[in-house]
Amino acid sequence: MRAGLRLSVAIIGMAAGISGCTTVAPEIASPQAPSTVQAESVASKEDSKVADLVARMSLERKIAQLIQPQINSFTAEDMERYRFGSYLNGGNGGPYGDEFAPPSEWLRLADEMYDASTQPLPNGEPAIPVMWGTDAVHGHSNIVGATLFPHNIALGATGDADLVRRIGHATAIEIEVTGIDWNFSPTVAVARDDRWGRTYESYSEDPDLVAKLGAALIEGQQGTKGSDGYLGDTRVIATAKHFFGDGGTESGVDQGDVNGNIDQLLALHGKPYPAAIDAGVEAIMASFNSINGRKMHGNEALLTDVLRGQMGFDGLVVGDWNGHGQIKGCTVTDCPQSLMAGLDIYMVPDDWKALMESLIAQVGDGAIPMARIDEAVTRVLRVKYRAGLLGENARRPSQRGVAGQYELLASAEHRALAREAVAKSQVLLKNNGVLPLKAGANVLVAGTAADDVGQASGGWTLEWQGGRKDQLPRARFPKATSIWDGIAENVAATGGTAKLSEDGTFEKRPDVAIVVFGERPYAEFAGDQRDLVFRDEEGLKLLEGFKAQDIPVVAVFLSGRPMWMNRELNASDAFVAAWLPGSEGAGVADVLTGKMPATGKLSFSWPETCEGRPLNGPEGALFALGHGLSLTDIAPLGELSEDCAALAVVEGADMFDAGRLGSGVSAFAGRLDGAGFEELIPQMRGDMNGSGVMARGYDRDAQEDSREVSLGAGSYFGLQQTNDTNGAYRIAYEVVTRPTGAVRLRFGDNEPIDVTARFELAQGKGWREMVLTSECVKNLDKRIAFESDGEVTFRVSSVRREALPEGTACAF
């Protein structure tokens, strides 16, 4: 093993010894540490039990333990036949095809899969219970009606490990209610370039703070390592992710490359992992990124030599969504390199059967030694044993702890905890004396985000990418409180009045205005930016409008990262970085009205300029790490420069890209005969039974970055912009099935162009680019639709409008 790697871990170990957090959660009595003899006895029993099971398993059953499909791609019959070791629900997956299914359906599916996995096998082969993994990254955020806690960036602003530990336990309770065993959380990335679309999943740019809070969340979810309640009732398996370097990619590009001296990279981005291991984390997820050009899913020096050999991790390593398929020489269905590098479970959402077959064949031909299979299976079963899935007291999901106690979802206690976390995370960046709001004030609340729980919750909320209220209406958040709700309640309690006016108009002049605005929800690569400019000017115009009328105005900014806000800061009398608070918007109001103090401190440096260069320290920062005013700190902020060259850049408009619709773009489907109603397709994904159209997520280069669209006979599907950005259409597409009838493209209400022959020629030939200009289309309308007289299936990864030179020919 390389000496440099030994040095790295020594450095990390010293840092972790200072900043690691092992305080016991307040609701649990501090346990006596087990004696050496007791620990050896437990380990001996565990090893003996697991070794006995592995020895009696067939090769096929062993391989199945290393396969993790998503619930949309297999049935209970498949589970009984193949006996997967685990499964997951993707960000857009739900039981029985319904991502908004009630909690009882999640528990029903958990029982169904558990029962299928434990059906007796012939010849005395053991039936190993399956475990279910989920991304509950800010509360049990896939479940309608669950508590949505602030995202990690907000929790970083609290700096409060005890608070984070309590949130971890509350989340574990709500997960257990629905019968799920395993959470893919916490993210312990040290985000160092805020252009990265996952910055809000990071607690801080400071690795010490990340290590402290990550360890606390693990203890909250699993319980205190060595205690009687460890991984018992109301606890779930935790996962530290993504090992390692995910927050350090060049230019903040998701899944990109991390470059530099390995010792320095480990001392920075690896620092949270010893703390997580000391806290007892049972699973670690491999990262999508590369380290110095080598993908982590195939990096033996780091997954095995460092993580296990030097850091001492003895749990399981799980891959990320088809991450093994990104290794050079691998495909999603053929990748022994990952297993040999140290991966124990392949997260293979859809192509599980072909991967199982290739792994079995590779053991047969000697490419994978049986000893490596047994090692990986042992690690998986060891975690199951510790989680109580293999002992004498193993139970169906519905018979465990608080399973089925649906009243615990968004319980009063959990909502109060979330409200506390929101209040403690608010960072006051400017205050000319308008805050706290005066008792009895007449308050006007403006901005479309003020009464939008979905926008306040960000990505990973009910859907992978989350959504605003036009995509995730208020009915999806039955127990939530919006920021407007909280302001109205708190202002009324002081004898004042509050009015919601999204566009800022009023009849009676207010004493003060509050403008709530911010980033639209996003997740992963869909949130990557080339700079830190906030281009949505709704909030800016409202702020400037109130300022012009000499009305004191407070800016409440919702975001997943610090951004260049000089214009908005200049236009406001007070500015609050509210992050992504989740379902308890009243916590924001608690600070605005002075019901709670302003105690939040920046866990990321705030930029003075807009270009987005990595900013991790005082140089170039408008507000440094740790900055945050109290409500009594009244110090006017000088006029800030509003110069930003990036604002002058005029580009084309993405109508669909990276798995999401562009701003102001909607997807629709309908019948050519006019029967029924034209249907909107939220997130460009769904089964439109009324029109005979199905659009589902498809992985081209990354998780669900594309859509596969199936048109039934006599149906149409398309996209429409609210505001016409003009320009030609550039569409990346792939024709999957040969059309059985004519296929046309229609722009607005104009005569369509026939593309049947083009589709017939393109079928089965992979990805192509369609360029549609005025050379073949008379009117390039803001509405484009694919019409089909027969059946056809095609895929789309991007739809873009852009200005092209005059005379540019159409292409297919």
PDB file of all heavy atoms in Angstrom, residues 765-777:
ATOM      1  N   LYS A 765     -31.101   3.129 -34.847  1.00  0.00           N
ATOM      2  CA  LYS A 765     -29.779   3.632 -35.221  1.00  0.00           C
ATOM      3  C   LYS A 765     -29.161   4.533 -34.151  1.00  0.00           C
ATOM      4  O   LYS A 765     -28.226   5.281 -34.426  1.00  0.00           O
ATOM      5  CB  LYS A 765     -29.856   4.366 -36.563  1.00  0.00           C
ATOM      6  CG  LYS A 765     -30.169   3.437 -37.739  1.00  0.00           C
ATOM      7  CD  LYS A 765     -30.084   4.178 -39.055  1.00  0.00           C
ATOM      8  CE  LYS A 765     -30.177   3.227 -40.238  1.00  0.00           C
ATOM      9  NZ  LYS A 765     -31.464   2.580 -40.338  1.00  0.00           N
ATOM     10  N   GLY A 766     -29.696   4.486 -32.943  1.00  0.00           N
ATOM     11  CA  GLY A 766     -29.098   5.238 -31.850  1.00  0.00           C
ATOM     12  C   GLY A 766     -29.530   6.685 -31.823  1.00  0.00           C
ATOM     13  O   GLY A 766     -30.471   7.109 -32.500  1.00  0.00           O
ATOM     14  N   TRP A 767     -28.796   7.469 -31.031  1.00  0.00           N
ATOM     15  CA  TRP A 767     -29.157   8.872 -30.813  1.00  0.00           C
ATOM     16  C   TRP A 767     -28.781   9.724 -32.020  1.00  0.00           C
ATOM     17  O   TRP A 767     -27.715   9.576 -32.596  1.00  0.00           O
ATOM     18  CB  TRP A 767     -28.481   9.407 -29.557  1.00  0.00           C
ATOM     19  CG  TRP A 767     -29.104   8.849 -28.319  1.00  0.00           C
ATOM     20  CD1 TRP A 767     -28.715   7.724 -27.638  1.00  0.00           C
ATOM     21  CD2 TRP A 767     -30.244   9.367 -27.634  1.00  0.00           C
ATOM     22  NE1 TRP A 767     -29.550   7.512 -26.564  1.00  0.00           N
ATOM     23  CE2 TRP A 767     -30.498   8.500 -26.540  1.00  0.00           C
ATOM     24  CE3 TRP A 767     -31.071  10.461 -27.833  1.00  0.00           C
ATOM     25  CZ2 TRP A 767     -31.539   8.699 -25.655  1.00  0.00           C
ATOM     26  CZ3 TRP A 767     -32.121  10.679 -26.950  1.00  0.00           C
ATOM     27  CH2 TRP A 767     -32.352   9.806 -25.877  1.00  0.00           C
ATOM     28  N   ARG A 768     -29.690  10.630 -32.362  1.00  0.00           N
ATOM     29  CA  ARG A 768     -29.511  11.522 -33.496  1.00  0.00           C
ATOM     30  C   ARG A 768     -29.911  12.934 -33.072  1.00  0.00           C
ATOM     31  O   ARG A 768     -30.473  13.125 -31.995  1.00  0.00           O
ATOM     32  CB  ARG A 768     -30.375  11.076 -34.685  1.00  0.00           C
ATOM     33  CG  ARG A 768     -30.139   9.633 -35.102  1.00  0.00           C
ATOM     34  CD  ARG A 768     -31.254   9.127 -36.000  1.00  0.00           C
ATOM     35  NE  ARG A 768     -31.209   9.693 -37.329  1.00  0.00           N
ATOM     36  CZ  ARG A 768     -30.555   9.148 -38.346  1.00  0.00           C
ATOM     37  NH1 ARG A 768     -29.875   8.025 -38.159  1.00  0.00           N
ATOM     38  NH2 ARG A 768     -30.574   9.708 -39.546  1.00  0.00           N
ATOM     39  N   GLU A 769     -29.631  13.895 -33.937  1.00  0.00           N
ATOM     40  CA  GLU A 769     -30.027  15.276 -33.662  1.00  0.00           C
ATOM     41  C   GLU A 769     -30.952  15.778 -34.761  1.00  0.00           C
ATOM     42  O   GLU A 769     -30.665  15.634 -35.954  1.00  0.00           O
ATOM     43  CB  GLU A 769     -28.809  16.184 -33.556  1.00  0.00           C
ATOM     44  CG  GLU A 769     -29.182  17.610 -33.154  1.00  0.00           C
ATOM     45  CD  GLU A 769     -27.980  18.476 -32.887  1.00  0.00           C
ATOM     46  OE1 GLU A 769     -27.283  18.849 -33.867  1.00  0.00           O
ATOM     47  OE2 GLU A 769     -27.722  18.783 -31.706  1.00  0.00           O
ATOM     48  N   MET A 770     -32.046  16.356 -34.360  1.00  0.00           N
ATOM     49  CA  MET A 770     -33.012  16.951 -35.266  1.00  0.00           C
ATOM     50  C   MET A 770     -32.875  18.471 -35.170  1.00  0.00           C
ATOM     51  O   MET A 770     -32.952  19.036 -34.083  1.00  0.00           O
ATOM     52  CB  MET A 770     -34.432  16.512 -34.864  1.00  0.00           C
ATOM     53  CG  MET A 770     -35.538  16.960 -35.772  1.00  0.00           C
ATOM     54  SD  MET A 770     -37.184  16.514 -35.098  1.00  0.00           S
ATOM     55  CE  MET A 770     -37.025  14.744 -34.847  1.00  0.00           C
ATOM     56  N   VAL A 771     -32.643  19.131 -36.297  1.00  0.00           N
ATOM     57  CA  VAL A 771     -32.549  20.586 -36.340  1.00  0.00           C
ATOM     58  C   VAL A 771     -33.669  21.096 -37.228  1.00  0.00           C
ATOM     59  O   VAL A 771     -33.764  20.724 -38.409  1.00  0.00           O
ATOM     60  CB  VAL A 771     -31.177  21.056 -36.880  1.00  0.00           C
ATOM     61  CG1 VAL A 771     -31.119  22.581 -36.922  1.00  0.00           C
ATOM     62  CG2 VAL A 771     -30.046  20.510 -36.020  1.00  0.00           C
ATOM     63  N   LEU A 772     -34.529  21.915 -36.660  1.00  0.00           N
ATOM     64  CA  LEU A 772     -35.702  22.404 -37.380  1.00  0.00           C
ATOM     65  C   LEU A 772     -35.611  23.922 -37.489  1.00  0.00           C
ATOM     66  O   LEU A 772     -35.660  24.637 -36.484  1.00  0.00           O
ATOM     67  CB  LEU A 772     -36.977  21.996 -36.631  1.00  0.00           C
ATOM     68  CG  LEU A 772     -37.149  20.485 -36.437  1.00  0.00           C
ATOM     69  CD1 LEU A 772     -38.198  20.188 -35.383  1.00  0.00           C
ATOM     70  CD2 LEU A 772     -37.508  19.816 -37.754  1.00  0.00           C
ATOM     71  N   THR A 773     -35.457  24.404 -38.714  1.00  0.00           N
ATOM     72  CA  THR A 773     -35.301  25.831 -38.976  1.00  0.00           C
ATOM     73  C   THR A 773     -36.404  26.304 -39.914  1.00  0.00           C
ATOM     74  O   THR A 773     -37.241  25.517 -40.374  1.00  0.00           O
ATOM     75  CB  THR A 773     -33.933  26.117 -39.611  1.00  0.00           C
ATOM     76  OG1 THR A 773     -33.933  25.620 -40.963  1.00  0.00           O
ATOM     77  CG2 THR A 773     -32.807  25.439 -38.828  1.00  0.00           C
ATOM     78  N   SER A 774     -36.363  27.592 -40.245  1.00  0.00           N
ATOM     79  CA  SER A 774     -37.360  28.152 -41.166  1.00  0.00           C
ATOM     80  C   SER A 774     -37.194  27.625 -42.576  1.00  0.00           C
ATOM     81  O   SER A 774     -38.050  27.870 -43.438  1.00  0.00           O
ATOM     82  CB  SER A 774     -37.260  29.688 -41.166  1.00  0.00           C
ATOM     83  OG  SER A 774     -35.944  30.099 -41.511  1.00  0.00           O
ATOM     84  N   GLU A 775     -36.148  26.875 -42.833  1.00  0.00           N
ATOM     85  CA  GLU A 775     -35.957  26.274 -44.150  1.00  0.00           C
ATOM     86  C   GLU A 775     -36.964  25.164 -44.413  1.00  0.00           C
ATOM     87  O   GLU A 775     -37.252  24.841 -45.566  1.00  0.00           O
ATOM     88  CB  GLU A 775     -34.538  25.722 -44.283  1.00  0.00           C
ATOM     89  CG  GLU A 775     -33.452  26.784 -44.263  1.00  0.00           C
ATOM     90  CD  GLU A 775     -33.582  27.748 -45.440  1.00  0.00           C
ATOM     91  OE1 GLU A 775     -33.525  27.290 -46.595  1.00  0.00           O
ATOM     92  OE2 GLU A 775     -33.737  28.965 -45.192  1.00  0.00           O
ATOM     93  N   CYS A 776     -37.486  24.540 -43.353  1.00  0.00           N
ATOM     94  CA  CYS A 776     -38.480  23.480 -43.557  1.00  0.00           C
ATOM     95  C   CYS A 776     -39.755  23.710 -42.760  1.00  0.00           C
ATOM     96  O   CYS A 776     -40.739  22.985 -42.934  1.00  0.00           O
ATOM     97  CB  CYS A 776     -37.901  22.097 -43.231  1.00  0.00           C
ATOM     98  SG  CYS A 776     -37.448  21.882 -41.490  1.00  0.00           S
ATOM     99  N   VAL A 777     -39.737  24.711 -41.876  1.00  0.00           N
ATOM    100  CA  VAL A 777     -40.911  25.023 -41.058  1.00  0.00           C
ATOM    101  C   VAL A 777     -41.259  26.497 -41.271  1.00  0.00           C
ATOM    102  O   VAL A 777     -40.430  27.374 -41.011  1.00  0.00           O
ATOM    103  CB  VAL A 777     -40.647  24.759 -39.558  1.00  0.00           C
ATOM    104  CG1 VAL A 777     -41.901  25.063 -38.747  1.00  0.00           C
ATOM    105  CG2 VAL A 777     -40.206  23.321 -39.333  1.00  0.00           C
TER     106      VAL A 777
END
